[in-house]
Amino acid sequence: MGGGRSETSALSGTGGERDMTTAQNSQRPNACCFCWCCCCSCSWNEEERCRRQKRKGLSQGTKMETIPNCEPCTKPSVEEIRLWSQSFDKLMRNPAGRNVFREFLRTEYSEENMLFWLACEDLKQEMNKSAVEEKARSIYEDYISILSPKEVSLDARVREVINRKMQDPTPHTFEDAQLQIYTLMHRDSYPRFLSSNSYKSLIHGGSRTSSES
């Protein structure tokens, strides 16, 4: 991707690029101590994904335990868990669903897609101009810059739009990119999630709990 020069100009008005160490260290959102599930980098190239999976043994279930960096949520009922299979929108509207899906994305080395989507949602709630500029710059450096290890997969048109908008960031600077990543997760990762042991174990575990009670 030959976007280095345009990225530098996009950031010149908002504070300049940080080095790679800063990008790697500005890792994740605040930890939540009350999450019920395991919570949760981006290549959608199938061959690369498979090679990575072969190099590392992947744990197949989703454990009901507290882990840092997930969103605050309550334990979902088995009925709620089953609803996640009806549509990707229902999964993404549910904090517990996002946590479980994020854990699955982590096993596929694409957790940054969810992290980027969540960062965009947070930016859209921000009203203070200086805070918007700071958050937009952070999102750009963490997920858009080709120098970032957490760079998300975006096409050239969307990157060009972002570079223009970064001259004067708004809460909706990454709207096109967020939609593209949402669509990517929906079409690519969501079907695999529904057939994964991670999701099946939640349904079976919830069913056993319901029958025992």
Side-chain angles (χ1 to χ4, degrees):
M1 291 177 290
R5 183 176 302 174
S6 60
E7 288 182 2
T8 302
S9 63
L11 284 171
S12 61
T14 55
E17 288 191 330
R18 301 172 185 169
D19 58 22
M20 288 184 64
T21 303
T22 303
Q24 291 170 334
N25 289 337
S26 56
Q27 290 285 328
R28 304 174 183 274
N30 293 332
C32 163
C33 300
F34 304 100
C35 290
W36 59 275
C37 64
C38 263
C39 289
C40 346
S41 279
C42 159
S43 172
W44 291 102
N45 180 288
E46 188 70 15
E47 291 180 359
E48 176 64 15
R49 186 176 64 83
C50 292
R51 282 198 299 270
R52 289 180 177 182
Q53 288 179 339
K54 288 177 181 177
R55 286 199 299 266
K56 289 191 177 184
L58 301 179
S59 61
Q60 290 295 324
T62 297
K63 298 178 182 178
M64 302 290 202
E65 61 187 23
T66 300
I67 271 201
N69 302 321
C70 42
E71 297 180 70
C73 63
T74 57
K75 182 175 180 178
S77 66
V78 67
E79 289 78 14
E80 287 179 287
I81 296 172
R82 291 185 186 279
L83 284 176
W84 300 344
S85 66
Q86 293 185 4
S87 76
F88 187 57
D89 289 341
K90 289 182 179 179
L91 172 71
M92 291 293 284
R93 284 199 297 264
N94 188 293
R98 291 194 297 269
N99 285 334
V100 176
F101 186 55
R102 177 176 162 186
E103 166 65 11
F104 173 76
L105 292 177
R106 186 159 63 93
T107 69
E108 293 209 328
Y109 303 91
S110 56
E111 180 189 10
E112 67 274 8
N113 289 328
M114 178 65 81
L115 295 177
F116 171 69
W117 187 87
L118 290 170
C120 292
E121 287 294 290
D122 178 64
L123 177 63
K124 288 191 289 189
Q125 304 303 314
E126 185 59 65
M127 303 299 294
N128 182 274
K129 182 172 176 58
S130 61
V132 166
E133 292 178 351
E134 176 64 26
K135 288 184 177 183
R137 184 173 67 248
S138 178
I139 291 172
Y140 189 99
E141 293 171 352
D142 283 348
Y143 304 109
I144 309 300
S145 172
I146 61 174
L147 300 177
S148 174
K150 298 186 294 181
E151 177 194 4
V152 296
S153 180
L154 299 170
D155 62 35
R157 180 193 64 82
V158 170
R159 286 181 174 277
E160 186 177 343
V161 169
I162 291 173
N163 288 333
R164 288 201 306 267
K165 290 183 175 180
M166 282 299 293
Q167 300 298 328
D168 185 22
T170 73
H172 302 283
T173 292
F174 302 100
E175 206 162 49
D176 291 344
Q178 186 185 22
L179 177 59
Q180 190 167 102
I181 293 303
Y182 184 92
T183 302
L184 189 61
M185 291 190 292
H186 183 191
R187 293 179 178 175
D188 191 63
S189 299
Y190 178 60
R192 289 197 297 273
F193 168 72
L194 294 181
S195 60
S196 70
N197 288 340
S198 298
Y199 182 62
K200 292 175 182 177
S201 67
L202 289 176
I203 294 178
H204 295 156
S207 298
R208 286 197 300 271
T209 302
S210 298
S211 61
E212 288 171 1
S213 61

